[in-house]
Amino acid sequence: MAIERTLSIIKPDATARNLTGKINAKFEEAGLRIVAQKRILLTVGQAGTFYAVHKERPFFGELTEFMASGPVVVQVLEGEGAIMKNREVMGATNPADAAPGTIRAEFAQSVGENSVHGSDSPEAAAEEIAYFFSGLELVG
């Protein structure tokens, strides 16, 4: 497999419960390296721009309000097959469907408050990483 980079966001429900370290430990145990990271507070507008792909979906307003409700940790993960590996470590969007040991099975509170976001394709990863990080911030 190729070395890839993917965007990871630790969402407000997880940062509020001080789970950043536990979540990052799961990524690192799976062989992913954190090559960029920062804690930020998104505005509703910034969250809306980031999640623009979901603009027509009924949950868009709730999603953007939630993502602006508290600090998030945005980070870039790197490793072999990082995009799929990250998605495996996160688990299914609905925590009730997430495999045991995954982040969402252990930490998510609901479908909406599911603790983490991860890119779903190489194209999305490149776009999402560029939204939050300049090339100078990616230290691998």
Side-chain angles (χ1 to χ4, degrees):
M1 287 198 125
I3 299 294
E4 296 177 326
R5 288 182 171 168
T6 188
L7 185 80
S8 167
I9 301 176
I10 301 176
K11 295 181 177 182
D13 62 298
T15 62
R17 292 179 290 139
N18 223 17
L19 296 173
T20 302
K22 290 179 181 178
I23 289 170
N24 282 338
K26 288 194 170 285
F27 292 135
E28 291 175 335
E29 288 165 7
L32 296 168
R33 288 184 337 131
I34 300 167
V35 298
Q37 181 182 69
K38 55 188 166 186
R39 185 179 180 96
I40 62 174
L41 183 59
L42 294 170
T43 65
V44 172
Q46 289 166 329
T49 300
F50 180 75
Y51 283 109
V53 67
H54 298 303
K55 191 173 185 176
E56 301 304 319
R57 313 271 310 257
F59 59 82
F60 180 75
E62 185 178 334
L63 173 62
T64 57
E65 289 285 335
F66 167 64
M67 291 301 290
S69 69
V72 298
V73 174
V74 293
Q75 55 195 10
V76 179
L77 306 177
E78 179 182 81
E80 286 191 30
I83 295 166
M84 289 310 299
K85 181 158 303 236
N86 178 32
R87 297 191 68 77
E88 290 170 12
V89 173
M90 289 190 309
T93 302
N94 184 341
D97 299 331
T102 62
I103 291 167
R104 289 176 172 151
E106 289 190 25
F107 304 124
Q109 297 177 308
S110 68
V111 173
E113 293 184 1
N114 61 16
S115 300
V116 286
H117 164 90
S119 304
D120 63 4
S121 68
E123 298 78 20
E127 187 176 313
E128 291 178 353
I129 290 168
Y131 186 78
F132 290 109
F133 295 96
S134 75
L136 293 173
E137 295 175 295
L138 303 173
V139 182

